[in-house]
Amino acid sequence: MAKKIGVTMEVGNDGVAVITISNPPVNSLASQIISGLKEKFQDANQRSDVKAIVLTGNGGRFSGGFDINVFQQVHKTGDISLMPEVSVDLVCNLMEDSRKPLVAAVEGLALGGGLELAMACHARVAAPKAQLGLPELTLGVIPGFGGTQRLPRLVGLEKGTDMILLSKSISSEEGQKLGLIDALVPPVDLLTTSRKWALDIADGRKPFLRSLHRTDKIGSLSEARAILMNARQLAKRISPNTPQHHACIEVIEDGIIHGGYSGVLKEAEVFKQLVLSDTAKALVHVFFAQRATSKVPNVTDVGLKPRPMKKVAVIGGGLMGSGIATALLLSNIRVLLKEINSEYLLKGIKSVEANLKGLVSRGKLTQDKAGKAFSLLKGVLDYTEFKDVDMVIEAVIENIQLKQKIFKEIEEVCPPNCILASNTSTIDLNVIGEKTNSKDRIVGAHFFSPAHLMTLLEIVRTENTSAQVILDLMALGKAIKKVPVVVGNCIGFAVNRTFFPYTQAAHMLVNLGVDLFRVDSVITSFGLPLGPFQYISPSLFRCLHFVYVYDYLSTEESF
């Protein structure tokens, strides 16, 4: 049975109208939902039996934000009028400027436009562990429902700007400390507390606060400008080639200088400009492309269920093997790390430990969680404990004979349903597995270095790889916070098939006399983090630099 999509309103005997957004799975703000919200708020404001209003979302989620499908329609047609008018008509006029108090009852998540609706309410009550944030800049636009003005006024200019520029979400617990959330209550008490809070505002027992009118957390103009100067430096560092970060800061500054309502009008104008930009078109395409990777014909649509991966063996403790092991451990998966001798094994274990310590030092992981993850690792020198593993990931050097030998050995010692995966970046999987009798279990699991940080995972299928194995590896990839992409078994698979001609073109330019430093400079100016020669290896790049300088000086001296 299809779930009903729309906006409902129920008025209780206490005089509180509860307006509920329903658009599974995350209550996205489609045009139909926005029209429904306008209608219900108009109705609630006009009814004499309504004293106060509570806004909430159905199914344990407030709202995941604006419906990004509308962006796609705008990009296909070039018709900006497809974007509904929300910032002034709904958020300012019907919600924030309502004479009747409005309280947001937030559970699960309030992201993007969802959080912007909540900030337009006169108070916010939330359940624990709700996710709050404005991620719009990841799509090449800025918050468009007043978020650039209200978030800094609620959490402070420095914190608000930081959250928007970095698309950084926070928990409702942190939100309460910052002033974004007024009260935290258990989910079962969320509506009851929100109703009472709204009535308390109506009866004058709690303040009637409009976020857009607040200035207490902005500071003086000189303080604000100093914060925005730092924000511009941050934007220049993290996004030197895209427009949305700098445009966002300009909009925030406009609101500080000319007032919040002026900032809202400026935000709406800039938002419409950015929606049609090449950056937004590209990032929206990436957004949908990433989600499309989770749908693989004859794999995800045939009723199969992924099997749990509780114990995984990694063969090879080098750079890739230790990184893969770290990624698995961080998701509470037990790992056997196998090496050929004690010296190499100790190095591999120390590499895993160093990876975890690095995450702790950067504030990405607590010491307790790092210790727990490391406790799930066991080093081995033989296959004795492979008898109950769910998957083996081979991560040794790119040597066909060695890989063939390993696959023949693990086929004999591992359970019959164990997945046999290789981290090869280039070698034909049919060649790797040609000496086995389990070709339906052989699959590529190509991670990228450093494997515990890089999010892409190429899942390489052969014509024999079973759908169940592909599905299992896709599920594992998501579990360890990767973006799994299923590709075919061909030279270079997908990434290296692109990367090879890219680097070949760079070498051809150098061979034709172009300065290799200029090649890298042009590429980094274009927006990539590293040029092709920098990417080869920092140590090799230093060597090339030395040879280049030595050759140049030798030539100069010859004159």
Side-chain angles (χ1 to χ4, degrees):
M1 181 178 176
K3 295 184 179 179
K4 189 175 180 181
I5 297 174
V7 181
T8 60
M9 183 174 77
E10 294 181 4
V11 181
N13 294 329
D14 56 359
V16 176
V18 177
I19 296 176
T20 305
I21 302 168
S22 182
N23 187 11
V26 295
N27 296 326
S28 61
L29 302 174
S31 297
Q32 175 185 348
I33 298 297
I34 290 169
S35 297
L37 286 169
K38 289 179 179 179
E39 177 188 328
K40 299 305 179 188
F41 278 115
Q42 286 173 342
D43 190 16
N45 282 318
Q46 292 169 0
R47 285 178 57 161
S48 59
D49 60 336
V50 173
K51 292 179 61 179
I53 306 165
V54 169
L55 176 64
T56 191
N58 191 31
R61 293 180 173 90
F62 186 76
S63 173
F66 185 65
D67 183 3
I68 302 172
N69 289 292
V70 179
F71 288 157
Q72 272 195 324
Q73 295 169 16
V74 171
H75 293 160
K76 287 177 181 177
T77 62
D79 184 3
I80 195 66
S81 68
L82 293 172
M83 298 294 301
E85 295 294 335
V86 179
S87 185
V88 174
D89 293 356
L90 172 61
V91 180
C92 285
N93 296 345
L94 290 174
M95 294 179 64
E96 191 164 49
D97 290 344
S98 168
R99 290 170 297 156
K100 299 177 181 180
L102 170 57
V103 173
V106 177
E107 185 179 3
L109 51 79
L111 298 173
L115 180 59
E116 290 176 287
L117 292 184
M119 291 191 293
C121 297
H122 307 115
R124 286 150 294 282
V125 179
K129 298 182 180 178
Q131 186 182 7
L132 315 171
L134 297 177
E136 285 87 348
L137 271 71
T138 61
L139 295 174
V141 296
I142 63 174
F145 298 173
T148 62
Q149 306 305 309
R150 292 186 179 88
L151 186 62
R153 285 167 168 76
L154 287 169
V155 303
L157 179 58
E158 185 171 5
K159 180 64 178 180
T161 304
D162 182 66
M163 285 178 63
I164 297 172
L165 292 182
L166 298 176
S167 298
K168 184 179 179 182
S169 62
I170 61 172
S171 67
S172 49
E173 287 82 355
E174 185 177 354
Q176 185 183 33
K177 293 177 183 176
L178 294 169
L180 179 58
I181 299 297
D182 295 289
L184 274 180
V185 298
V188 293
D189 299 328
L190 184 60
L191 277 181
T192 303
T193 303
S194 299
R195 297 177 86 113
K196 185 177 184 305
W197 200 289
L199 288 172
D200 283 347
I201 296 175
D203 295 336
R205 291 188 293 272
K206 292 189 184 298
F208 201 132
L209 299 174
R210 291 180 170 89
S211 305
L212 198 60
H213 299 177
R214 292 180 60 175
T215 58
D216 54 297
K217 293 188 177 182
I218 296 297
S220 67
L221 185 58
S222 61
E223 290 172 332
R225 281 182 163 152
I227 291 170
L228 293 178
M229 183 182 296
N230 291 333
R232 287 186 171 94
Q233 291 301 315
L234 173 65
K236 187 176 180 181
R237 188 172 72 251
I238 64 175
S239 184
N241 300 294
T242 54
Q244 68 272 27
H245 291 76
H246 296 281
C248 185
I249 296 169
E250 295 296 327
V251 168
I252 293 172
E253 186 171 44
D254 184 279
I256 292 170
I257 296 172
H258 302 293
Y261 190 72
S262 173
V264 166
L265 296 178
K266 183 70 174 178
E267 178 193 87
E269 176 190 339
V270 172
F271 177 86
K272 288 183 177 180
Q273 293 171 359
L274 289 172
V275 166
L276 294 173
S277 69
D278 289 341
T279 298
K281 291 174 183 177
L283 290 174
V284 169
H285 172 80
V286 169
F287 176 87
F288 284 106
Q290 284 191 344
R291 277 145 188 81
T293 62
S294 64
K295 299 175 182 178
V296 180
N298 300 316
V299 174
T300 57
D301 56 359
V302 293
L304 296 173
K305 300 294 181 184
R307 297 171 296 183
M309 297 289 123
K310 298 179 180 179
K311 184 177 180 181
V312 176
V314 178
I315 300 177
L319 178 64
M320 289 306 303
S322 60
I324 294 168
T326 305
L328 295 165
L329 295 169
L330 289 169
S331 295
N332 298 315
I333 297 171
R334 288 186 296 147
V335 175
L336 293 178
L337 184 63
K338 183 187 178 299
E339 261 295 356
I340 56 173
N341 59 46
S342 299
E343 179 187 352
Y344 286 175
L345 181 59
L346 183 59
K347 285 182 179 178
I349 291 173
K350 286 185 175 180
S351 293
V352 173
E353 187 177 22
N355 289 340
L356 294 171
K357 286 181 177 179
L359 293 171
V360 172
S361 67
R362 294 194 298 275
K364 303 293 185 182
L365 190 69
T366 65
Q367 188 62 57
D368 287 345
K369 288 183 178 178
K372 182 181 177 183
F374 192 62
S375 70
L376 298 173
L377 176 67
K378 184 174 183 180
V380 297
L381 295 173
D382 56 39
Y383 295 119
T384 305
E385 297 194 45
F386 279 46
K387 60 183 179 296
D388 61 346
V389 295
D390 300 302
M391 178 185 294
V392 178
I393 302 176
E394 166 271 308
V396 301
I397 59 173
E398 294 287 74
N399 181 292
I400 292 176
Q401 288 74 29
L402 177 59
K403 290 178 185 288
Q404 288 178 333
K405 177 177 179 292
I406 288 171
F407 269 73
K408 183 62 177 174
E409 291 170 348
I410 59 178
E411 180 188 34
E412 294 172 357
V413 298
C414 293
N417 292 324
C418 175
I419 296 172
L420 310 179
S422 173
N423 181 56
T424 181
S425 58
T426 54
I427 301 175
D428 187 331
L429 288 165
N430 289 322
V431 174
I432 290 174
E434 71 177 17
K435 296 184 179 180
T436 70
N437 297 312
S438 306
K439 294 178 176 54
D440 60 325
R441 293 193 279 149
I442 294 176
V443 66
H446 182 210
F447 291 79
F448 294 81
S449 182
H452 61 296
L453 299 178
M454 301 294 281
T455 56
L456 182 60
L457 169 61
E458 279 186 314
I459 298 174
V460 188
R461 65 192 300 182
T462 72
E463 63 275 12
N464 298 308
T465 308
S466 75
Q468 183 66 60
V469 166
I470 297 168
L471 186 69
D472 292 342
L473 191 47
M474 289 176 67
L476 177 70
K478 291 177 183 177
I480 62 175
K481 299 179 175 59
K482 304 299 180 189
V483 179
V485 179
V486 179
V487 299
N489 180 34
C490 58
I491 296 173
F493 312 137
V495 173
N496 282 331
R497 200 173 180 84
T498 304
F499 183 67
F500 290 159
Y502 165 76
T503 52
Q504 285 172 343
H507 282 281
M508 286 173 62
L509 287 171
V510 172
N511 288 336
L512 290 171
V514 179
D515 184 344
L516 66 85
F517 294 98
R518 184 183 174 199
V519 173
D520 276 349
S521 176
V522 169
I523 292 296
T524 53
S525 296
F526 176 71
L528 296 185
L530 294 173
F533 295 103
Q534 289 172 303
Y535 182 82
I536 295 170
S537 155
S539 58
L540 180 56
F541 189 69
R542 286 194 294 270
C543 180
L544 286 171
H545 176 69
F546 174 79
V547 170
Y548 178 86
V549 172
Y550 179 81
D551 184 60
Y552 174 78
L553 292 175
S554 299
T555 305
E556 288 291 294
E557 289 172 0
S558 68
F559 287 104

